[in-house]
């Protein structure tokens, strides 16, 4: 994929996976919904020491107040010191997501960049995060996982309360978690 | 409910109660209204010492000015020192509530997290809170309590002025209160 | 009205008066208009020394800039030092009022809480307040007073310029005032 | 007009003039337009030394940025030091005016309160104010002056460029001015 | 044009020119478009040393962010120190302009007030200004110049790239410029 | 192109290229889309040391939060110190672009002005930029490049993942890049 290696890409899923920046900390994949249609979204976080004055909280495509809550959970429930960090979060492609199911993906991307640890390949993250640090159930988990499996993803971290027999039959390895700290054991 | 203990959940009320994070301070249940339909909402608060600069006031799903008023009541009428605390409040599921009847639930969640005391299981909280620290009457108390009782809740802290014969006949134990401090005697 | 003393309330006016927190400084009643229908609104103020940084100006249901003007009148025309105080104002029931006729009620509630003096029972307050500290005429005074009298209120502080023969025939004791300081002589 | 002197007011213009607070510095009258209908508006300003932190700029019923421009003219063209003053401006009756013709009335009210000098009785002020300190022509001067004359006003400070034969025939004494400083010679 | 010299004004253009404050630095004329109809707008700037705290940037009728960009060009490309100056910009008559063609007029008005130099009589200014300090082409130059000529203006500073044969045939002297600094050579 | 060298411009593309300020650092060309119609936009950046207080972030025609993210990428991934710089970004002609495909052009313009290096003539820049510093695929690359080639542009820096056979057949030299740093090798 150097400057000469140009070739046509036929399958959008292939392209999606090809372009992922998996080797870089701070990136994760969230199976979002556009209406009822599932669409995979790459979430990127960039965390670094704040060099100048007030730490920045800059987010494109997600509610900045909800971002503040997720950073509070990271700090108070997991123990990561975030107060002197600049935090940037970006949803690739200019998308906007208002679905609390994206919480876990955004939180783990921030943690990944903060700790400079990647989260492994071919994994998707799903779950609303509460202030107690718990991972809560979400809607339409089955549809989201089917789309992720179709696009070649192999693993999914999901809320334990959303798992049922239908979900277990999808061709993707499930990691049901009750708390954010359980997800961290799987990912880092 | 470990990583292997997956099972299907048939009844939504059961699921609702199953997922509650009762063992953690800062959580309470408010019977809200979506139009005229009652719907139970979990309110979460996270209060901790402000480590960096200005204390944060971060709320998802509720008016931030009303939050400021409730924090003032906690400070001036109950005597909890809130000025050097970060306060986060979250309504689970991305819901938004503009009903003053949620005041008591939000205020008690903040107090619960501040004092690190849980409020007991199977209890719902209802009531508008005034600046004098009083708990004021609310609308549709009967409907809200019927829904809570149906979902398995056993106790309800309610405004004394809203209690009538119909309400007393619902299968839920009533704790009528006139002031916030009366509710605190019941809860903590 | 202790925890056991539950009884049904038949008359809304009775309930309204029953729930009033008259014994606490900072509370007053303003006969508002919802369209052309009069509705009594309880105004609550909570004023205390600002403990942390910038004094707070927090108002629910009323314009915050107009609140700033009323605080200026209290400070410049009456001589109350408000600059190091937190000021909270709340209209009970989540109501919103954009009517300058509420000025006098809000201003007197703030003064009542600042001086920790109650304003007496069964009194309503009406009047626009100007920057010169004068109490100005308002519209539909007659209708508002009739409603207040019907609900059992006995006294009304009103703008002197709005008083006419019709108003004088209503079954409520009138205290016509020209300046805010005249109202203070009646109330405190 | 003491507490006992109640009497009915038949004529609205009479009432308007009766209620004016002419003896207090900071007040002036501006003939505004509600659509094409003239309506007299009382403009009030309250200027005092800023006791706490940043000087306040608090305006009800007028654009705060335009207020900033008028204060700049007072400071740079007339030489009044406004930077350490709190400035409050209020349009009586909760009215809102977006008409630059109100500039002169607002500017002179601020100056009147700053210098603690009244502007005399029965006078109306009209004119847009430019950054050079000039008083600029306005629309519908004739209609506005007719209304003022009808309500009993005797004098009008007006932009020199708006004066024509029709305007000169109205029963009100004209003081045409080219600059703000000319108006000040008439008023103070 | 003293206090007695009242006379009717028949021709609007004559009035427009009569009222201009040409003898005062900080004023320029911009031929704007109201839809497709040309209308001449007087732009006024007032620049002075900031006496108190943060320098003010106060603009009526133009985008404040675009003003910030023009001030940056003045500072970085022309070398005027603007950082400790209060800058006020006003479009006379309460007009609002969103057309980048006004850039040159606004920028030159600010420079004129900063340097306290007038720009000469009967001149109009037109051109978008880029961050490189260049004056860029604008739309409908011909129409705008015809209107200016009709109203008696004699000179026009215009973007060199917008000049064509039609424009050269209008009865107004053209000063085509490529950079802001070229316009300054013509004006100051 | 001096003050006398006036001549008519027949071809809009010619005019577009003629007016470009290629010799000045901070300028680049982005082939934007107006609906589905391609339109070339000149992006200008002006970066200089912040002389007074907080560094300015001033952008016309692009989202200021996205600008913050691009500046973060420049700082964290490329190593340019931006924290003490004023950054101004302007889209020529008053255009507004919400397309993430403009990221690379804006980022490179800022870098060009920061380093005071021009980017060479006749080149267009295209690509979404992620927080990992990668250049991501964009939509309608073919259409955009055809328009650029038609207007006389010779080179294009494009996301490697968007290049296919159709794109390679356009009469413009392609520089496919995977990361921002690859684009910098081509440009600076």
């Amino acid at each position: 994929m150097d400057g000469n290696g140009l070739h046509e890409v036929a399958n959008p899923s292939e392209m999606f996976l090809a372009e992922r920046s998996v080797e870089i900390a701070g990136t994760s994949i969230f199976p979002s919904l556009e209406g009822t249609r599932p669409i995979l979204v790459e979430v990127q976080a960039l965390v670094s020491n704040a060099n100048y004055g007030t730490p920045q909280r800059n987010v494109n495509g997600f509610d900045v107040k909800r971002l503040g809550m997720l950073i509070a959970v990271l700090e108070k429930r997991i123990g990561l010191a975030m107060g002197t960090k600049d935090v940037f979060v970006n949803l690739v492609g200019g998308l906007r997501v208002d679905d609390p199911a994206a919480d876990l993906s955004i939180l783990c991307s921030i943690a990944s960049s903060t700790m400079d640890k990647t989260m492994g390949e071919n994994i998707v993250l799903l779950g609303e995060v509460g202030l107690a640090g718990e991972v809560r159930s979400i809607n339409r988990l089955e549809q989201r996982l089917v789309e992720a499996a179709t696009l070649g993803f192999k693993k999914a971290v999901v809320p334990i309360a959303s798992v049922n027999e239908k979900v277990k039959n999808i061709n993707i390895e499930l990691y049901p978690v009750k708390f954010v700290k359980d997800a961290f054991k799987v990912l880092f």
Side-chain angles (χ1 to χ4, degrees), chain A:
Chain A
M1 212 170 261
D2 55 275
N4 301 315
L6 311 177
H7 61 279
E8 215 168 328
V9 178
N11 182 330
S13 347
E14 204 179 295
M15 190 183 82
F16 186 90
L17 288 174
E19 208 176 349
R20 282 205 52 207
S21 26
V22 289
E23 74 275 32
I24 295 172
T27 302
S28 69
I29 301 293
F30 162 62
S32 184
L33 295 171
E34 192 86 357
T36 58
R37 194 171 56 90
I39 176 171
L40 270 72
V41 175
E42 183 170 341
V43 173
Q44 295 188 316
L46 176 51
V47 179
S48 62
N49 291 319
N51 292 327
Y52 325 98
T54 317
Q56 296 181 67
R57 299 284 179 261
N58 186 317
V59 59
N60 288 285
F62 192 71
D63 181 44
V64 72
K65 281 196 304 174
R66 195 151 191 97
L67 176 68
M69 196 201 78
L70 295 177
I71 292 173
V73 169
L74 265 182
E75 193 150 36
K76 316 293 185 191
R77 300 296 180 200
I78 305 289
L80 287 180
M82 304 300 298
T84 58
K85 304 284 187 186
D86 287 337
V87 178
F88 297 86
V89 173
N90 182 38
L91 270 55
V92 166
L95 292 172
R96 172 148 198 96
V97 169
D98 287 318
D99 180 0
D103 288 353
L104 187 64
S105 176
I106 289 171
L107 184 145
C108 290
S109 288
I110 295 170
S112 164
S113 180
T114 306
M115 303 184 298
D116 202 19
K117 288 185 192 170
T118 58
M119 282 181 272
E121 275 185 74
N122 296 332
I123 192 159
V124 293
L125 304 176
L126 288 144
E128 182 181 348
V129 173
L131 283 171
E134 83 277 22
V135 179
R136 306 184 70 91
S137 63
I138 62 169
N139 63 356
R140 295 181 186 269
L141 178 59
E142 188 190 348
Q143 274 177 275
R144 300 178 195 244
L145 290 180
V146 167
E147 176 75 6
T150 307
L151 287 174
F153 286 87
K154 303 298 183 201
K155 305 170 188 174
V157 179
V158 296
I160 201 168
S162 294
V163 176
N164 55 27
E165 284 305 313
K166 279 186 183 169
V167 164
K168 283 193 276 184
N169 289 335
I170 300 167
N171 182 26
I172 197 165
E173 197 179 348
L174 294 183
Y175 294 87
V177 295
K178 192 168 181 196
F179 288 100
V180 167
K181 63 173 185 272
D182 303 334
F184 276 40
K185 279 176 207 154
V186 174
L187 293 166
F188 302 116

